[in-house]
């Protein structure tokens, strides 16, 4: 039986546990709400199945190891993780403004919070499942911008060096990236960042199932599978570029790029798994149990002070979050639309206006009937990259399904992304334009801004109501006229601000 002091301590720990959970909810409610909306609207079937399996396995594991029920117990490692996540979350929310990064910190803080309520052994084993949970988030675009595009640039430079060894020259990085974009199947799990994401999931699930301990050896094999994926991808790009630019066998390149990507992915996984079986021996001895006091022990004075500091920090940080518009549009970022015949402004909704203003951008919508084409056009101008987004996501959000996407060169320095929509005669295209560059790649536009500062950019997204079989040639006059008019305005604005 518990003594009155023990019962009092137990009640005290229950109250402290409730208080710290409430403080955590108050701080991270934005990310929790965002995750709920994302779960409903943006999670693919694959991610949902993976999320469900991970949560089920975690619940079974915790239920099996937590026979005595959940109660608060102060531990230093969870405390440090949760304490570190508070300023990091504040910085992301108020400086970077990327919801998915806030959600990552929220997941990590939840892992730290769980360390106060579950056994130490279960908490330490939970790091791989937590990483898997984070990987279920819809990272697609963000991974491509911050990780995928630098890798593609490095791969293009490497391919140029490799081809030069065989006296093949005159191929630019832009040409290689364009060929790779045209040859990439976005929905294929073995290509590009999808391939890396899938190999990460494969490796983490494999090490979780086989109960491999995280550490230096784990990190070595994780690096190995990434290097293998990257190496096979380099080989694939070299072969595709050679087929298209040297041998001019584009049809052959279009046929083999998917089998090559799949073969590289499968071989990378099999080689890594085989080496793990051969050289990473499982520990046969009994697992060393982490000392855990099963009795109801009271919190020391210093632990209560630290817990109070943690709770106060979460509450204070939640109160100082600014609800004001993060950025305002300067006069310099407001793009003056050229006077083109056949274009009539339709206006933005209030929600769209607020959305653009929050990200420091200025948007305008038009209906047009020009050069034998008609449709709708959205332009978004601004000198910050956060105001621009991949237009294909908004097109899908408007209810369209993309059947095919390809890069089309209107002229050598004017690439656009053509989107062929399912079950409709409508087609779409978009590009990003500054005074010195045009790109159809959102990641390229972001990286150019990160390297070059706040240069003015314009995003153009067009949906054509009806197009004939001569697409994209049939819409080329409209695209050229728009590009020229926008370029004139950008050059004029640049000269005025210098």
């Amino acid at each position: 039986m518990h003594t009155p002091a023990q019962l009092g301590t137990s009640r005290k720990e229950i109250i402290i546990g409730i208080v710290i959970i409430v403080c955590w909810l108050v701080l991270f409610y934005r990310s929790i709400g965002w995750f709920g909306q994302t779960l409903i609207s943006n999670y693919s079937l694959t991610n949902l199945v993976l999320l469900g399996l991970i949560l089920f396995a975690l619940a079974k594991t915790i239920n099996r190891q937590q026979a005595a029920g959940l109660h608060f117990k102060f531990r230093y490692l969870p405390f440090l993780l949760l304490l570190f996540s508070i300023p990091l979350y504040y910085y992301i929310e108020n400086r970077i403004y990327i919801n998915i990064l806030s959600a990552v910190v929220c997941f990590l803080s939840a892992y730290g919070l769980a360390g106060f309520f579950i056994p130490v052994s279960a908490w330490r084993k939970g790091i791989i499942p937590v990483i898997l949970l984070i990987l279920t988030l819809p990272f697609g675009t963000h991974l491509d911008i911050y990780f995928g595009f630098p890798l593609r640039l490095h791969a293009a430079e490497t391919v140029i060096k490799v081809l030069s060894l065989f006296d093949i020259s005159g191929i630019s990085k832009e040409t290689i990236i364009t060929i790779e974009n045209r040859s990439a199947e976005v929905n294929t799990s073995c290509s590009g960042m999808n391939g890396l994401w899938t190999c990460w999931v494969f490796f983490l699930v494999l090490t979780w199932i086989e109960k491999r301990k995280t550490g230096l050896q784990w990190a070595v094999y994780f690096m190995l599978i990434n290097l293998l994926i990257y190496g096979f991808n380099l080989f694939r790009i070299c072969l595709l570029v050679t087929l298209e630019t040297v041998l001019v066998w584009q049809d052959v390149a279009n046929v083999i790029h998917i089998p090559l990507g799949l073969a590289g992915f499968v071989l990378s996984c099999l080689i890594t798994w085989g080496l793990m079986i051969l050289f990473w021996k499982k520990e046969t001895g009994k697992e060393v149990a982490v000392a855990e006091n099963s009795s109801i022990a009271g919190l020391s004075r210093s632990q209560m002070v630290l817990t109070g500091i943690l709770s106060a920090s979460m509450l204070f940080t939640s109160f100082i979050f600014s609800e004001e518009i993060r950025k305002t549009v300067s006069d310099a970022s407001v793009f003056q639309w050229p006077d083109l015949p056949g274009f009539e402004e339709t206006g933005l909704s209030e929600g769209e206006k607020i959305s653009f203003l929050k990200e420091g951008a200025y948007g305008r919508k038009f209906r047009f009937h020009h050069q034998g084409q008609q449709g709708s056009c959205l332009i978004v101008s601004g000198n910050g990259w956060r105001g621009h987004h991949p237009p294909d996501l908004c097109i899908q959000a408007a209810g369209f399904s993309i059947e095919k996407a390809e890069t089309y060169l209107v002229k050598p320095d004017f690439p656009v992304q053509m989107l062929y929509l399912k079950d409709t005669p409508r087609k779409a295209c978009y590009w990003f334009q500054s005074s010195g560059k045009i790109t159809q790649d959102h990641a390229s536009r972001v990286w150019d801004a990160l390297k070059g500062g706040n240069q003015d950019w314009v995003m153009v997204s067009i949906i054509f109501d009806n197009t004939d079989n001569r697409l994209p040639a049939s819409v080329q006059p409209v695209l050229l006229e728009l590009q020229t008019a926008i370029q004139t305005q950008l050059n004029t604005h640049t000269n005025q601000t210098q």
Side-chain angles (χ1 to χ4, degrees):
M1 294 181 63
H2 299 305
T3 65
Q6 288 176 323
L7 290 174
T9 301
S10 179
R11 284 194 292 269
K12 185 194 304 180
E13 290 178 343
I14 291 173
I15 293 172
I16 292 175
I18 292 173
V19 168
I20 200 168
I21 290 174
V22 170
C23 292
W24 181 85
L25 290 173
V26 169
L27 176 59
F28 290 99
Y29 80 91
R30 295 174 181 82
S31 290
I32 296 171
W34 176 87
F35 176 69
Q37 294 175 353
T38 304
L39 189 65
I40 296 171
S41 59
N42 291 341
Y43 260 58
S44 65
L45 179 60
T46 301
N47 290 38
L48 284 173
V49 171
L50 181 61
L51 177 65
L53 291 175
I54 295 169
L55 291 177
F56 177 77
L58 277 175
K60 292 282 288 184
T61 302
I62 294 174
N63 184 62
R64 187 166 56 248
Q65 297 196 24
Q66 187 68 30
L70 297 175
H71 63 276
F72 180 85
K73 185 175 179 63
F74 184 89
R75 299 183 180 95
Y76 285 99
L77 282 179
F79 167 79
L80 292 174
L81 178 58
L82 193 50
L83 187 65
F84 173 74
S85 68
I86 296 172
L88 181 59
Y89 182 72
Y90 176 80
Y91 179 79
I92 292 173
E93 282 284 288
N94 287 270
R95 294 293 183 270
I96 301 180
Y97 319 133
I98 299 178
N99 290 325
I100 202 165
L101 292 183
S102 299
V104 170
V105 178
C106 179
F107 274 45
L108 290 175
S109 68
Y111 174 61
L113 183 65
F116 293 133
F117 297 93
I118 63 176
V120 175
S121 58
W123 187 75
R124 290 183 175 178
K125 290 177 181 177
I127 183 62
I128 289 181
V130 168
I131 296 174
L132 281 170
L133 284 175
I134 290 173
L135 284 180
T136 66
L137 292 170
F139 276 103
T141 302
H142 296 87
L143 272 180
D144 186 60
I145 293 172
Y146 301 108
F147 193 64
F149 188 71
L151 279 180
R152 284 155 57 196
L153 284 177
H154 183 268
E157 294 170 354
T158 305
V159 167
I160 291 174
K161 293 177 182 177
V162 171
L163 293 178
S164 67
L165 298 176
F166 299 92
D167 294 327
I168 301 173
S169 59
I171 303 174
S172 65
K173 289 188 295 185
E174 290 74 16
T175 300
I176 294 173
I177 291 174
T178 300
I179 290 173
E180 186 187 10
N181 286 342
R182 189 164 60 241
S183 299
E185 178 65 35
V186 175
N187 293 323
T188 301
S189 61
C190 62
S191 65
M193 287 309 303
N194 284 337
L196 277 176
W197 180 86
T198 309
C199 93
W200 294 343
V201 172
F202 167 82
F203 182 78
L204 289 168
V205 170
L206 181 64
T207 53
W208 188 21
I209 292 175
E210 295 195 349
K211 298 180 180 179
R212 306 279 186 175
K213 286 189 175 181
T214 54
L216 179 60
Q217 201 167 13
W218 184 91
V220 167
Y221 282 98
F222 181 71
M223 289 298 298
L224 173 65
I225 195 171
N226 281 277
L227 289 174
L228 287 171
I229 287 283
Y230 186 62
F232 280 117
N233 192 52
L234 280 180
F235 171 76
R236 181 179 68 90
I237 297 172
C238 283
L239 186 57
L240 292 174
V241 171
T242 302
L243 289 173
E244 287 211 25
T245 62
V246 180
L247 301 177
V248 198
W249 290 352
Q250 184 173 342
D251 292 339
V252 177
N254 291 336
V255 169
I256 69 171
H257 78 272
I258 293 180
L260 279 177
L262 181 60
F265 170 76
V266 172
L267 285 174
S268 300
C269 293
L270 289 178
I271 290 172
T272 304
W273 192 10
L275 291 175
M276 286 172 60
I277 293 173
L278 290 175
F279 300 108
W280 190 359
K281 303 299 181 183
K282 289 184 180 181
E283 296 183 7
T284 55
K286 291 183 179 180
E287 185 179 355
V288 179
V290 180
E292 186 85 41
N293 188 359
S294 60
S295 63
I296 302 177
L299 295 174
S300 66
R301 185 181 298 274
S302 62
Q303 290 175 343
M304 290 189 65
V305 170
L306 290 174
T307 305
I309 292 174
L310 182 64
S311 302
S313 299
M314 288 190 285
L315 285 178
F316 177 74
T317 304
S318 66
F319 289 145
I320 62 175
F321 273 135
S322 174
E323 296 295 339
E324 297 177 1
I325 292 176
R326 288 164 173 165
K327 297 177 69 178
T328 58
V329 183
S330 65
D331 293 337
S333 67
V334 178
F335 177 74
Q336 300 300 319
W337 179 253
D339 186 16
L340 291 176
F343 280 78
E344 179 182 355
E345 187 164 4
T346 58
L348 299 172
S349 67
E350 286 301 315
E352 288 171 329
K353 289 179 182 178
I354 293 173
S355 177
F356 287 131
L357 286 173
K358 282 184 177 180
E359 302 301 343
Y362 180 75
R364 299 179 73 177
K365 269 185 178 179
F366 297 86
R367 285 290 301 173
F368 67 89
H369 194 293
H370 189 58
Q371 295 277 14
Q373 300 292 335
Q374 62 181 12
S376 57
C377 174
L378 170 68
I379 66 163
V380 181
S381 60
N383 53 19
W385 62 267
R386 295 181 185 88
H388 289 158
H389 54 274
D392 47 352
L393 298 181
C394 282
I395 290 172
Q396 293 179 82
F400 296 103
S401 296
I402 298 174
E403 183 176 11
K404 179 184 176 183
E406 66 178 11
T407 301
Y408 172 66
L409 290 176
V410 180
K411 56 183 183 178
D413 60 348
F414 182 17
V416 300
Q417 190 76 355
M418 298 298 305
L419 303 177
Y420 298 82
L421 309 178
K422 288 183 180 179
D423 304 323
T424 177
R426 295 180 176 181
K427 305 293 185 292
C429 72
Y430 64 84
W431 71 91
F432 302 90
Q433 183 172 345
S434 70
S435 59
K437 182 178 180 179
I438 302 175
T439 180
Q440 87 295 350
D441 193 336
H442 179 248
S444 175
R445 182 262 178 272
V446 171
W447 271 94
D448 192 81
L450 293 175
K451 291 186 298 181
N454 293 327
Q455 186 180 14
D456 290 320
W457 280 81
V458 175
M459 182 195 80
V460 184
S461 178
I462 304 173
I463 297 180
F464 296 98
D465 289 343
N466 292 286
T467 53
D468 54 34
N469 293 329
R470 295 181 295 114
L471 187 78
S474 59
V475 300
Q476 185 165 321
V478 177
L479 302 183
L480 281 170
E481 187 167 351
L482 280 174
Q483 181 265 330
T484 302
I486 292 172
Q487 191 67 41
T488 300
Q489 293 291 335
L490 284 170
N491 292 339
T492 302
H493 180 262
T494 301
N495 293 332
Q496 290 175 348
T497 55
Q498 286 179 346

